[in-house]
Amino acid sequence: MKNIRLEIFKKASLCRNFENELYKKVQDKIIKFPVYLSAGQEFIASSIAVKMQELNISPDIFIQHRGHSTYLAFGGDIYSLIDEMLGRKSGCANGMGGSASIQCKEKNIYGHDGLMGNQVPIGVGACFASKTPTVIFVGDSAAEEDYSLSSIGWASTKKLPILFIVEDNNLSILTEKKVRRNWEMHDVATGMKVKSYDIKDDPMEIYDHLKNSFNEPILLNINTVRKFWHAGAGTDGENFDRYKEEMNFFGKEGREIDEYNNKLVLGAWKKQLEKQ
Ligand SMILES: Cc1ncc(C[n+]2csc(CCOP(=O)(O)OP(=O)(O)O)c2C)c(N)n1
Ligand SMILES: [Mg+2]
């Protein structure tokens, strides 16, 4: 089990170092369009990606904004992601997607168009046609959209092989869940006869809930913490940081992995900026 936790940490470490560097690039005004940082939430995609590797499955993946970690954890090319952040044609979305609409055809990652939650009906429809394993990531707010909820119902009716992942950071921009609704996503999905769980973004807890993925639809409402602002580079102060916890768990090895990924990310940025 230690090895799995370590593999997940390695992926999360790449994601965290990427986001930390991007934070600086936004602060330095090298990037001027809205950037949605996924720092704090990286263990979700990282844990799922490690489990998919183990199952030898390359699912179709549907994401929304705040998807850098999903892109990287599932093996998206870092250079194309940097180029996308620089608005270049060589970017993963031809320089036209920006941070919100990244994609990676090679890894079956489908980008988002900005209408919150519409990746849910699109992903369900795609899976209804293909019947191949599908992972749909959705925020706790986007999941509330009527078309998102009704398509979860359709996935249940048709017993589609879909893993619904609600990245529940408790926020819709700045509005907390308790202001928006008095119900929970896992309860609604349970009502629609989808096996649903409300869990933490603890990597082993996520990993353990992926045992029966793709036999039928499953929904994981994963509670997590957004480290930075909704968009752009800013922070409202210190909050719980799972990355620090995991790094401490691995001690010297954890710090070395972090350092390795820091160098990797800095090197990738240097290379891409020199290309200009
Ligand atoms: C249909 C629609 N409504 C509202 C918006 C504006 N909007 C953009 S992001 C966002 C919040 C999304 O919250 P969530 O889905 O929880 O994702 P998070 O930003 O927390 O990762 C909103 C309301 C939009 N883009 N589309
Ligand atoms: Mg949210």
Side-chain angles (χ1 to χ4, degrees):
M1 275 313 219
K2 190 181 168 211
N3 276 349
I4 286 163
R5 194 165 166 181
L6 190 65
E7 287 313 304
I8 295 172
F9 178 71
K10 283 181 189 169
K11 281 189 183 288
S13 176
L14 173 65
C15 300
R16 173 59 63 95
N17 277 283
F18 185 85
E19 296 297 59
N20 281 346
E21 190 53 29
L22 197 51
Y23 185 98
K24 288 185 201 149
K25 296 288 187 269
V26 175
Q27 284 209 317
D28 294 346
K29 301 205 170 19
I30 291 171
I31 299 162
K32 298 193 185 87
F33 55 64
V35 168
Y36 304 91
L37 296 169
S38 59
Q41 309 191 176
E42 54 277 271
F43 282 93
I44 300 179
S46 301
S47 309
I48 299 166
V50 165
K51 184 69 187 183
M52 294 302 122
Q53 276 172 358
E54 184 193 293
L55 296 173
N56 202 16
I57 289 176
S58 302
D60 282 341
I61 298 166
F62 293 84
I63 59 176
Q64 59 179 47
H65 66 288
R66 218 176 302 292
H68 305 162
S69 289
T70 307
Y71 174 100
L72 290 170
F74 280 91
D77 180 63
I78 190 169
Y79 299 102
S80 309
L81 183 55
I82 292 174
D83 280 358
E84 188 62 34
M85 298 301 117
L86 295 170
R88 294 177 176 169
K89 266 204 157 135
S90 47
C92 62
N94 301 324
M96 294 189 288
S99 165
S101 302
I102 55 171
Q103 60 175 9
C104 179
K105 277 189 187 169
E106 298 75 20
K107 302 290 173 188
N108 314 325
I109 300 172
Y110 297 94
H112 194 235
D113 60 21
L115 185 78
M116 297 320 311
N118 77 348
Q119 74 276 26
V120 185
I122 291 172
V124 168
C127 182
F128 181 50
S130 70
K131 306 287 190 293
T132 58
T134 300
V135 185
I136 300 176
F137 290 89
V138 61
D140 55 292
S141 167
E144 294 166 5
E145 299 291 359
D146 51 355
Y147 39 85
S148 162
L149 296 171
S150 52
S151 49
I152 293 172
W154 183 246
S156 176
T157 303
K158 292 294 166 185
K159 295 194 171 36
L160 299 179
I162 303 181
L163 186 56
F164 294 101
I165 301 295
V166 182
E167 296 190 287
D168 185 352
N169 59 18
N170 189 37
L171 292 169
S172 175
I173 305 183
L174 282 171
T175 309
E176 286 187 48
K177 227 165 48 175
K178 63 174 184 238
V179 181
R180 300 173 351 233
R181 52 170 148 114
N182 66 350
W183 49 270
E184 291 292 339
M185 267 310 293
H186 53 281
D187 290 330
V188 172
T190 300
M192 291 179 179
K193 300 187 171 36
V194 172
K195 284 209 177 105
S196 306
Y197 306 90
D198 186 38
I199 62 175
K200 293 196 293 287
D201 65 357
D202 175 292
M204 297 321 292
E205 193 173 343
I206 299 172
Y207 179 87
D208 286 343
H209 279 85
L210 299 172
K211 274 184 212 122
N212 300 317
S213 308
F214 310 125
N215 292 338
E216 60 184 321
I218 289 179
L219 182 140
L220 302 184
N221 187 81
I222 306 181
N223 296 275
T224 188
V225 179
R226 190 180 79 199
K227 190 166 171 56
F228 301 131
W229 285 349
H230 169 69
T235 163
D236 290 321
E238 280 297 297
N239 41 24
F240 171 72
D241 190 355
R242 186 165 300 281
Y243 186 76
K244 266 192 200 155
E245 278 217 345
E246 289 296 299
M247 186 156 67
N248 288 342
F249 175 80
F250 291 110
K252 187 164 172 277
E253 194 177 10
R255 290 191 296 279
E256 281 170 3
I257 291 168
D258 183 61
E259 220 168 280
Y260 169 85
N261 282 298
N262 183 246
K263 281 196 186 131
L264 189 155
V265 169
L266 291 181
W269 269 98
K270 189 165 180 285
K271 189 173 164 207
Q272 294 317 88
L273 287 173
E274 279 171 3
K275 237 175 55 174
Q276 233 166 13

PDB file of all heavy atoms in Angstrom, residues 9-21:
ATOM      1  N   PHE A   9       1.489  10.335  -4.644  1.00  0.00           N
ATOM      2  CA  PHE A   9       2.200  11.553  -4.236  1.00  0.00           C
ATOM      3  C   PHE A   9       3.078  12.096  -5.375  1.00  0.00           C
ATOM      4  O   PHE A   9       3.167  13.301  -5.588  1.00  0.00           O
ATOM      5  CB  PHE A   9       3.041  11.309  -2.978  1.00  0.00           C
ATOM      6  CG  PHE A   9       3.803  12.538  -2.569  1.00  0.00           C
ATOM      7  CD1 PHE A   9       3.141  13.631  -2.041  1.00  0.00           C
ATOM      8  CD2 PHE A   9       5.174  12.615  -2.775  1.00  0.00           C
ATOM      9  CE1 PHE A   9       3.834  14.797  -1.711  1.00  0.00           C
ATOM     10  CE2 PHE A   9       5.876  13.773  -2.442  1.00  0.00           C
ATOM     11  CZ  PHE A   9       5.202  14.860  -1.904  1.00  0.00           C
ATOM     12  N   LYS A  10       3.701  11.186  -6.106  1.00  0.00           N
ATOM     13  CA  LYS A  10       4.574  11.635  -7.214  1.00  0.00           C
ATOM     14  C   LYS A  10       3.769  12.454  -8.226  1.00  0.00           C
ATOM     15  O   LYS A  10       4.206  13.485  -8.701  1.00  0.00           O
ATOM     16  CB  LYS A  10       5.204  10.424  -7.916  1.00  0.00           C
ATOM     17  CG  LYS A  10       6.350   9.819  -7.150  1.00  0.00           C
ATOM     18  CD  LYS A  10       6.920   8.656  -7.927  1.00  0.00           C
ATOM     19  CE  LYS A  10       7.928   7.884  -7.100  1.00  0.00           C
ATOM     20  NZ  LYS A  10       8.302   6.600  -7.719  1.00  0.00           N
ATOM     21  N   LYS A  11       2.593  11.959  -8.566  1.00  0.00           N
ATOM     22  CA  LYS A  11       1.754  12.688  -9.517  1.00  0.00           C
ATOM     23  C   LYS A  11       1.307  14.025  -8.914  1.00  0.00           C
ATOM     24  O   LYS A  11       1.377  15.073  -9.561  1.00  0.00           O
ATOM     25  CB  LYS A  11       0.507  11.863  -9.877  1.00  0.00           C
ATOM     26  CG  LYS A  11       0.783  10.767 -10.894  1.00  0.00           C
ATOM     27  CD  LYS A  11      -0.519  10.136 -11.369  1.00  0.00           C
ATOM     28  CE  LYS A  11      -0.271   8.993 -12.326  1.00  0.00           C
ATOM     29  NZ  LYS A  11       0.201   9.419 -13.646  1.00  0.00           N
ATOM     30  N   ALA A  12       0.863  13.970  -7.667  1.00  0.00           N
ATOM     31  CA  ALA A  12       0.385  15.192  -7.005  1.00  0.00           C
ATOM     32  C   ALA A  12       1.510  16.220  -6.913  1.00  0.00           C
ATOM     33  O   ALA A  12       1.279  17.430  -7.013  1.00  0.00           O
ATOM     34  CB  ALA A  12      -0.156  14.859  -5.621  1.00  0.00           C
ATOM     35  N   SER A  13       2.728  15.725  -6.760  1.00  0.00           N
ATOM     36  CA  SER A  13       3.877  16.617  -6.632  1.00  0.00           C
ATOM     37  C   SER A  13       4.142  17.365  -7.944  1.00  0.00           C
ATOM     38  O   SER A  13       4.458  18.562  -7.940  1.00  0.00           O
ATOM     39  CB  SER A  13       5.099  15.800  -6.217  1.00  0.00           C
ATOM     40  OG  SER A  13       6.221  16.619  -6.171  1.00  0.00           O
ATOM     41  N   LEU A  14       3.985  16.686  -9.052  1.00  0.00           N
ATOM     42  CA  LEU A  14       4.131  17.356 -10.352  1.00  0.00           C
ATOM     43  C   LEU A  14       3.045  18.435 -10.476  1.00  0.00           C
ATOM     44  O   LEU A  14       3.330  19.576 -10.861  1.00  0.00           O
ATOM     45  CB  LEU A  14       4.005  16.327 -11.491  1.00  0.00           C
ATOM     46  CG  LEU A  14       3.966  16.931 -12.898  1.00  0.00           C
ATOM     47  CD1 LEU A  14       5.284  17.625 -13.234  1.00  0.00           C
ATOM     48  CD2 LEU A  14       3.650  15.860 -13.949  1.00  0.00           C
ATOM     49  N   CYS A  15       1.826  18.061 -10.122  1.00  0.00           N
ATOM     50  CA  CYS A  15       0.698  19.003 -10.227  1.00  0.00           C
ATOM     51  C   CYS A  15       0.940  20.222  -9.338  1.00  0.00           C
ATOM     52  O   CYS A  15       0.775  21.356  -9.773  1.00  0.00           O
ATOM     53  CB  CYS A  15      -0.608  18.332  -9.814  1.00  0.00           C
ATOM     54  SG  CYS A  15      -1.039  16.895 -10.808  1.00  0.00           S
ATOM     55  N   ARG A  16       1.317  19.987  -8.083  1.00  0.00           N
ATOM     56  CA  ARG A  16       1.504  21.097  -7.148  1.00  0.00           C
ATOM     57  C   ARG A  16       2.618  22.029  -7.614  1.00  0.00           C
ATOM     58  O   ARG A  16       2.486  23.255  -7.594  1.00  0.00           O
ATOM     59  CB  ARG A  16       1.797  20.579  -5.733  1.00  0.00           C
ATOM     60  CG  ARG A  16       2.180  21.673  -4.722  1.00  0.00           C
ATOM     61  CD  ARG A  16       1.091  22.739  -4.552  1.00  0.00           C
ATOM     62  NE  ARG A  16      -0.128  22.195  -4.016  1.00  0.00           N
ATOM     63  CZ  ARG A  16      -0.437  22.210  -2.711  1.00  0.00           C
ATOM     64  NH1 ARG A  16       0.383  22.778  -1.862  1.00  0.00           N
ATOM     65  NH2 ARG A  16      -1.580  21.688  -2.292  1.00  0.00           N
ATOM     66  N   ASN A  17       3.712  21.435  -8.065  1.00  0.00           N
ATOM     67  CA  ASN A  17       4.822  22.285  -8.514  1.00  0.00           C
ATOM     68  C   ASN A  17       4.448  23.061  -9.773  1.00  0.00           C
ATOM     69  O   ASN A  17       4.857  24.209  -9.941  1.00  0.00           O
ATOM     70  CB  ASN A  17       6.083  21.456  -8.717  1.00  0.00           C
ATOM     71  CG  ASN A  17       6.796  21.247  -7.400  1.00  0.00           C
ATOM     72  OD1 ASN A  17       7.459  22.149  -6.901  1.00  0.00           O
ATOM     73  ND2 ASN A  17       6.643  20.074  -6.812  1.00  0.00           N
ATOM     74  N   PHE A  18       3.655  22.445 -10.629  1.00  0.00           N
ATOM     75  CA  PHE A  18       3.193  23.156 -11.830  1.00  0.00           C
ATOM     76  C   PHE A  18       2.347  24.366 -11.412  1.00  0.00           C
ATOM     77  O   PHE A  18       2.551  25.480 -11.904  1.00  0.00           O
ATOM     78  CB  PHE A  18       2.373  22.224 -12.733  1.00  0.00           C
ATOM     79  CG  PHE A  18       1.994  22.882 -14.031  1.00  0.00           C
ATOM     80  CD1 PHE A  18       2.861  22.884 -15.109  1.00  0.00           C
ATOM     81  CD2 PHE A  18       0.777  23.551 -14.155  1.00  0.00           C
ATOM     82  CE1 PHE A  18       2.532  23.526 -16.299  1.00  0.00           C
ATOM     83  CE2 PHE A  18       0.439  24.200 -15.336  1.00  0.00           C
ATOM     84  CZ  PHE A  18       1.310  24.177 -16.410  1.00  0.00           C
ATOM     85  N   GLU A  19       1.426  24.138 -10.500  1.00  0.00           N
ATOM     86  CA  GLU A  19       0.526  25.224 -10.087  1.00  0.00           C
ATOM     87  C   GLU A  19       1.285  26.330  -9.343  1.00  0.00           C
ATOM     88  O   GLU A  19       1.000  27.513  -9.527  1.00  0.00           O
ATOM     89  CB  GLU A  19      -0.610  24.680  -9.212  1.00  0.00           C
ATOM     90  CG  GLU A  19      -1.539  23.697  -9.923  1.00  0.00           C
ATOM     91  CD  GLU A  19      -2.318  24.278 -11.103  1.00  0.00           C
ATOM     92  OE1 GLU A  19      -1.678  24.767 -12.047  1.00  0.00           O
ATOM     93  OE2 GLU A  19      -3.555  24.203 -11.083  1.00  0.00           O
ATOM     94  N   ASN A  20       2.234  25.955  -8.520  1.00  0.00           N
ATOM     95  CA  ASN A  20       3.011  26.978  -7.802  1.00  0.00           C
ATOM     96  C   ASN A  20       3.772  27.873  -8.779  1.00  0.00           C
ATOM     97  O   ASN A  20       3.851  29.080  -8.603  1.00  0.00           O
ATOM     98  CB  ASN A  20       4.002  26.322  -6.830  1.00  0.00           C
ATOM     99  CG  ASN A  20       3.316  25.865  -5.552  1.00  0.00           C
ATOM    100  OD1 ASN A  20       2.183  26.260  -5.273  1.00  0.00           O
ATOM    101  ND2 ASN A  20       3.996  25.027  -4.785  1.00  0.00           N
ATOM    102  N   GLU A  21       4.307  27.269  -9.815  1.00  0.00           N
ATOM    103  CA  GLU A  21       5.055  28.047 -10.802  1.00  0.00           C
ATOM    104  C   GLU A  21       4.108  28.921 -11.624  1.00  0.00           C
ATOM    105  O   GLU A  21       4.413  30.082 -11.922  1.00  0.00           O
ATOM    106  CB  GLU A  21       5.866  27.100 -11.704  1.00  0.00           C
ATOM    107  CG  GLU A  21       6.867  27.780 -12.602  1.00  0.00           C
ATOM    108  CD  GLU A  21       7.830  28.730 -11.878  1.00  0.00           C
ATOM    109  OE1 GLU A  21       8.130  28.515 -10.688  1.00  0.00           O
ATOM    110  OE2 GLU A  21       8.262  29.706 -12.523  1.00  0.00           O
TER     111      GLU A  21
END
